[in-house]
């Protein structure tokens, strides 16, 4: 379920990852407790407080979604993950 929730989040990316600079030391990560790792990391984008990079990883080494999205979409995704048990 956790892996599916992450994989099916599909907002429109605003920028490609290589088009913006992320602030690597300013991030927060949510992980799903259980036998298989599913983690979603949110990074701030330098000079763009309206955008955020989202990168997810799972136990199969897949990293979707991975892109730069509107902050409003990221906030909603964060709330959805928390309701599903990510912490």
């Amino acid at each position: 379920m956790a892996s599916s929730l992450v994989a099916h989040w599909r907002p429109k990316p605003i920028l490609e990852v290589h088009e913006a600079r992320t602030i690597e030391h300013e991030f927060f990560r949510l992980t799903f407790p259980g036998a298989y790792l599913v983690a979603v990391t949110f990074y701030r984008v330098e000079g763009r407080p309206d955008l955020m990079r989202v990168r997810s990883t799972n136990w199969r080494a897949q990293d979707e979604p991975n892109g730069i999205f509107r902050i409003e979409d990221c906030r909603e995704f964060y709330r959805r993950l928390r309701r599903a048990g990510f912490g």
Side-chain angles (χ1 to χ4, degrees), residues 30-41:
L30 294 176
T31 57
F32 191 79
Y36 299 107
L37 173 67
V38 179
V40 180
T41 308

Side-chain angles (χ1 to χ4, degrees), residues 10-28:
R10 294 282 183 233
K12 181 182 178 191
I14 302 302
L15 296 171
E16 294 297 322
V17 173
H18 65 276
E19 295 176 312
R21 213 178 167 146
T22 56
I23 305 171
E24 296 296 324
H25 64 278
E26 290 187 27
F27 70 91
F28 50 95

